[in-house]
């Protein structure tokens, strides 16, 4: 399928699909005229890329990890080397959540103080 077809099937813009290719996440074939040709597995691969991005992984990490995530979160043999990387990402998210919670509490305190003055 061509890039426009992949875009329609996945709901991802052609611009973003080209970006995924630049980042080494997608590997289309090229027709004689230079048009990108994607196999049917590309639909699922784009979905997996979107899931991993939504989970907070950067594209560089996704590029290395994607072969292990092709079937979703089901365990894949030979991929245990990514446990530390995933745990590190989870720890980073936990720190970010704690910081967001701290900010939320600070804003709540200001809001409560303003309400009690009124």
């Amino acid at each position: 399928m061509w890039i426009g077809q992949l875009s329609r099937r996945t709901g991802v813009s052609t611009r973003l699909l080209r970006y995924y290719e630049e980042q080494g996440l997608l590997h289309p074939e090229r027709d004689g005229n230079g048009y990108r040709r994607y196999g049917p597995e590309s639909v699922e691969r784009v979905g997996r890329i979107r899931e991993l991005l939504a989970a907070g992984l950067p594209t560089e990490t996704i590029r290395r990890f994607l072969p292990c995530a092709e079937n979703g979160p089901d365990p894949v043999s030979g991929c245990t080397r990514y446990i530390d990387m995933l745990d590190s990402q989870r720890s980073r998210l936990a720190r970010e959540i704690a910081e967001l919670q701290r900010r939320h509490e600070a804003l709540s305190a200001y809001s409560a103080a303003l309400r009690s003055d009124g």
Side-chain angles (χ1 to χ4, degrees):
M1 78 187 86
W2 292 301
I3 195 168
Q5 293 168 313
L6 182 60
S7 174
R8 283 188 294 282
R9 289 188 63 189
T10 61
V12 174
S13 71
T14 57
R15 182 177 177 205
L16 199 47
L17 292 172
R18 285 187 199 98
Y19 174 75
Y20 292 166
E21 181 183 353
E22 289 170 12
Q23 296 300 305
L25 303 175
L26 286 177
H27 308 283
E29 300 290 325
R30 293 286 184 155
D31 284 345
N33 57 10
Y35 289 174
R36 292 168 175 84
R37 274 293 232 200
Y38 296 90
E41 73 285 349
S42 295
V43 173
E44 187 173 327
R45 187 174 183 96
V46 169
R48 192 72 62 225
I49 292 166
R50 303 296 293 162
E51 287 175 359
L52 294 169
L53 285 168
L57 293 178
T59 55
E60 180 180 329
T61 301
I62 293 171
R63 182 178 58 253
R64 292 180 309 205
F65 180 65
L66 196 55
C68 292
E70 291 291 350
N71 297 316
D74 294 332
V76 179
S77 75
C79 291
T80 56
R81 66 185 181 273
Y82 292 104
I83 292 171
D84 289 342
M85 181 268 304
L86 292 174
D87 287 346
S88 173
Q89 292 293 327
R90 289 178 51 230
S91 294
R92 180 185 58 80
L93 282 175
R95 288 189 303 274
E96 289 176 14
I97 290 167
E99 175 61 17
L100 289 171
Q101 185 63 39
R102 186 198 61 75
R103 291 178 189 178
H104 181 269
E105 291 168 3
L107 290 174
S108 294
Y110 278 106
S111 180
L114 290 173
R115 289 180 201 283
S116 67
D117 274 351

